[in-house]
Amino acid sequence: FSRWRECLSAPLDLAGETRLERIQKMAPDDWHAIVSGWNWDHGFREIDWITAQRACDRATALFAFCSLSPSRFIAAPQQKLTGFVCALAARLENGFYPIADLTLDLSMRKRAAFDAEIATVRATGRSPWLVPDGLLYHEGTRAPAARYAITDGRIHYDYEYWLKHVAR
């Protein structure tokens, strides 16, 4: 645990006044780690920016989409995140993400929950909810190799990267 705290407190080699400015300087693998560790209570501006990039991997966008439980936006379209979720669904539906290299490593429980979400939104039969079938089962060619991660809204080095490249 002391090594983890050491990693969290290590100064970053990433400049930027805001969290978004730092994220904008990261690579797609880092974006995947950011989205995977995102707490939606911290807003969605950063995730909106990530998922609006053509360089965003499809697995990253899909994780963001499914982790928001998009089916709740069908019944309650007035929610604050509705525009973001609809835009993200439209991008997935229309093949906006040409890069699909990353594997989507999900537990069986999370995969089942994500599968149920996709089935529910697709059952509407209307755009932008017609997310292509089988996206969750795309194998990808590699696991993400992130340099950075996020915990409690704070960007830090990914622990494995830190151990290998930064720690003394």
Side-chain angles (χ1 to χ4, degrees):
F1 187 68
S2 65
R3 296 296 288 186
W4 170 247
R5 285 194 307 228
E6 199 179 329
C7 172
L8 291 180
S9 64
L12 295 177
D13 61 354
L14 191 64
E17 294 281 322
T18 66
R19 190 170 45 208
L20 179 58
E21 287 175 0
R22 288 182 176 165
I23 287 171
Q24 289 171 336
K25 295 176 182 170
M26 293 179 185
D29 285 36
D30 301 313
W31 297 343
H32 190 82
I34 296 298
V35 169
S36 298
W38 193 255
N39 178 339
W40 292 102
D41 292 337
H42 293 133
F44 62 94
R45 187 173 131 209
E46 292 88 345
I47 307 305
D48 188 24
W49 183 87
I50 289 170
T51 58
Q53 307 308 303
R54 295 275 295 167
C56 176
D57 193 273
R58 188 170 56 210
T60 304
L62 187 62
F63 189 93
F65 179 70
C66 290
S67 67
L68 275 168
S69 303
S71 62
R72 67 190 168 121
F73 296 96
I74 295 167
Q78 73 282 2
Q79 288 191 26
K80 179 169 88 170
L81 290 171
T82 301
F84 166 67
V85 174
C86 288
L88 185 50
R91 288 186 207 119
L92 287 165
E93 177 186 20
N94 296 316
F96 177 81
Y97 304 101
I99 301 167
D101 295 340
L102 300 180
T103 57
L104 193 57
D105 187 25
L106 301 172
S107 67
M108 287 177 56
R109 182 176 297 199
K110 187 167 287 272
R111 186 173 300 275
F114 283 8
D115 221 1
E117 284 295 326
I118 290 173
T120 301
V121 297
R122 288 185 87 238
T124 65
R126 63 183 199 272
S127 187
W129 306 113
L130 301 176
V131 176
D133 203 19
L135 285 181
L136 280 176
Y137 299 96
H138 173 73
E139 296 285 325
T141 57
R142 63 184 182 81
R147 184 176 188 156
Y148 306 102
I150 194 164
T151 302
D152 297 327
R154 188 168 161 258
I155 295 173
H156 55 84
Y157 282 113
D158 174 81
Y159 185 69
E160 295 302 320
Y161 176 86
W162 176 81
L163 277 177
K164 192 172 187 179
H165 301 285
V166 180
R168 294 188 168 109

PDB file of all heavy atoms in Angstrom, residues 2 21 43 64 70 74 77 116 136 144 146 151 165:
ATOM      1  N   SER A   2       2.008   1.207   0.670  1.00  0.00           N
ATOM      2  CA  SER A   2       2.879   2.383   0.697  1.00  0.00           C
ATOM      3  C   SER A   2       3.410   2.689  -0.700  1.00  0.00           C
ATOM      4  O   SER A   2       3.584   3.852  -1.062  1.00  0.00           O
ATOM      5  CB  SER A   2       4.031   2.200   1.679  1.00  0.00           C
ATOM      6  OG  SER A   2       4.886   1.163   1.258  1.00  0.00           O
ATOM      7  N   GLU A  21      -7.030  19.582 -19.774  1.00  0.00           N
ATOM      8  CA  GLU A  21      -5.791  19.919 -20.495  1.00  0.00           C
ATOM      9  C   GLU A  21      -4.780  18.786 -20.412  1.00  0.00           C
ATOM     10  O   GLU A  21      -4.069  18.504 -21.371  1.00  0.00           O
ATOM     11  CB  GLU A  21      -5.187  21.208 -19.946  1.00  0.00           C
ATOM     12  CG  GLU A  21      -5.955  22.453 -20.337  1.00  0.00           C
ATOM     13  CD  GLU A  21      -5.410  23.708 -19.680  1.00  0.00           C
ATOM     14  OE1 GLU A  21      -4.423  23.634 -18.905  1.00  0.00           O
ATOM     15  OE2 GLU A  21      -5.983  24.781 -19.927  1.00  0.00           O
ATOM     16  N   GLY A  43     -18.597  14.715 -13.305  1.00  0.00           N
ATOM     17  CA  GLY A  43     -19.031  15.320 -14.562  1.00  0.00           C
ATOM     18  C   GLY A  43     -18.706  14.453 -15.760  1.00  0.00           C
ATOM     19  O   GLY A  43     -18.306  13.307 -15.627  1.00  0.00           O
ATOM     20  N   ALA A  64     -17.488   3.687 -21.955  1.00  0.00           N
ATOM     21  CA  ALA A  64     -18.123   4.923 -21.458  1.00  0.00           C
ATOM     22  C   ALA A  64     -19.632   4.840 -21.643  1.00  0.00           C
ATOM     23  O   ALA A  64     -20.400   5.146 -20.724  1.00  0.00           O
ATOM     24  CB  ALA A  64     -17.563   6.138 -22.190  1.00  0.00           C
ATOM     25  N   PRO A  70     -27.176   3.430 -20.405  1.00  0.00           N
ATOM     26  CA  PRO A  70     -27.888   4.287 -21.358  1.00  0.00           C
ATOM     27  C   PRO A  70     -29.389   4.056 -21.437  1.00  0.00           C
ATOM     28  O   PRO A  70     -30.125   4.965 -21.817  1.00  0.00           O
ATOM     29  CB  PRO A  70     -27.214   3.977 -22.697  1.00  0.00           C
ATOM     30  CG  PRO A  70     -26.584   2.644 -22.509  1.00  0.00           C
ATOM     31  CD  PRO A  70     -26.201   2.567 -21.072  1.00  0.00           C
ATOM     32  N   ILE A  74     -33.522   6.660 -22.161  1.00  0.00           N
ATOM     33  CA  ILE A  74     -34.657   6.485 -23.078  1.00  0.00           C
ATOM     34  C   ILE A  74     -35.941   6.918 -22.372  1.00  0.00           C
ATOM     35  O   ILE A  74     -36.751   7.648 -22.930  1.00  0.00           O
ATOM     36  CB  ILE A  74     -34.764   5.018 -23.540  1.00  0.00           C
ATOM     37  CG1 ILE A  74     -33.528   4.652 -24.361  1.00  0.00           C
ATOM     38  CG2 ILE A  74     -36.026   4.791 -24.346  1.00  0.00           C
ATOM     39  CD1 ILE A  74     -33.381   3.165 -24.589  1.00  0.00           C
ATOM     40  N   PRO A  77     -35.526  11.394 -20.833  1.00  0.00           N
ATOM     41  CA  PRO A  77     -34.664  12.161 -21.728  1.00  0.00           C
ATOM     42  C   PRO A  77     -34.279  13.545 -21.225  1.00  0.00           C
ATOM     43  O   PRO A  77     -33.449  14.198 -21.819  1.00  0.00           O
ATOM     44  CB  PRO A  77     -35.492  12.257 -23.003  1.00  0.00           C
ATOM     45  CG  PRO A  77     -36.895  12.069 -22.577  1.00  0.00           C
ATOM     46  CD  PRO A  77     -36.850  11.177 -21.370  1.00  0.00           C
ATOM     47  N   ALA A 116     -26.976  -6.390 -21.506  1.00  0.00           N
ATOM     48  CA  ALA A 116     -28.390  -6.069 -21.256  1.00  0.00           C
ATOM     49  C   ALA A 116     -28.695  -4.622 -21.619  1.00  0.00           C
ATOM     50  O   ALA A 116     -29.754  -4.322 -22.191  1.00  0.00           O
ATOM     51  CB  ALA A 116     -28.736  -6.340 -19.796  1.00  0.00           C
ATOM     52  N   LEU A 136     -19.492  -5.811 -27.889  1.00  0.00           N
ATOM     53  CA  LEU A 136     -18.873  -6.269 -26.638  1.00  0.00           C
ATOM     54  C   LEU A 136     -17.990  -7.496 -26.834  1.00  0.00           C
ATOM     55  O   LEU A 136     -17.172  -7.813 -25.987  1.00  0.00           O
ATOM     56  CB  LEU A 136     -19.949  -6.609 -25.601  1.00  0.00           C
ATOM     57  CG  LEU A 136     -20.554  -5.449 -24.850  1.00  0.00           C
ATOM     58  CD1 LEU A 136     -21.666  -5.938 -23.939  1.00  0.00           C
ATOM     59  CD2 LEU A 136     -19.515  -4.692 -24.060  1.00  0.00           C
ATOM     60  N   PRO A 144      -4.807  -2.586 -23.130  1.00  0.00           N
ATOM     61  CA  PRO A 144      -4.330  -1.203 -23.024  1.00  0.00           C
ATOM     62  C   PRO A 144      -3.026  -1.133 -22.235  1.00  0.00           C
ATOM     63  O   PRO A 144      -2.830  -1.879 -21.275  1.00  0.00           O
ATOM     64  CB  PRO A 144      -5.443  -0.480 -22.267  1.00  0.00           C
ATOM     65  CG  PRO A 144      -6.592  -1.404 -22.236  1.00  0.00           C
ATOM     66  CD  PRO A 144      -6.100  -2.774 -22.504  1.00  0.00           C
ATOM     67  N   ALA A 146      -1.478   1.729 -20.469  1.00  0.00           N
ATOM     68  CA  ALA A 146      -1.622   3.120 -20.043  1.00  0.00           C
ATOM     69  C   ALA A 146      -0.400   3.609 -19.278  1.00  0.00           C
ATOM     70  O   ALA A 146       0.229   2.873 -18.527  1.00  0.00           O
ATOM     71  CB  ALA A 146      -2.862   3.268 -19.170  1.00  0.00           C
ATOM     72  N   THR A 151      -7.812   8.311 -10.138  1.00  0.00           N
ATOM     73  CA  THR A 151      -8.436   7.814  -8.917  1.00  0.00           C
ATOM     74  C   THR A 151      -9.034   9.021  -8.197  1.00  0.00           C
ATOM     75  O   THR A 151      -8.332  10.019  -7.985  1.00  0.00           O
ATOM     76  CB  THR A 151      -7.399   7.123  -7.999  1.00  0.00           C
ATOM     77  OG1 THR A 151      -6.787   6.056  -8.719  1.00  0.00           O
ATOM     78  CG2 THR A 151      -8.059   6.585  -6.735  1.00  0.00           C
ATOM     79  N   HIS A 165       8.867   2.282 -14.884  1.00  0.00           N
ATOM     80  CA  HIS A 165       9.585   3.384 -15.514  1.00  0.00           C
ATOM     81  C   HIS A 165       9.940   4.568 -14.608  1.00  0.00           C
ATOM     82  O   HIS A 165      10.803   5.367 -14.965  1.00  0.00           O
ATOM     83  CB  HIS A 165       8.777   3.930 -16.682  1.00  0.00           C
ATOM     84  CG  HIS A 165       8.489   2.928 -17.718  1.00  0.00           C
ATOM     85  ND1 HIS A 165       9.438   2.487 -18.627  1.00  0.00           N
ATOM     86  CD2 HIS A 165       7.377   2.228 -18.015  1.00  0.00           C
ATOM     87  CE1 HIS A 165       8.915   1.581 -19.428  1.00  0.00           C
ATOM     88  NE2 HIS A 165       7.660   1.402 -19.074  1.00  0.00           N
TER      89      HIS A 165
END
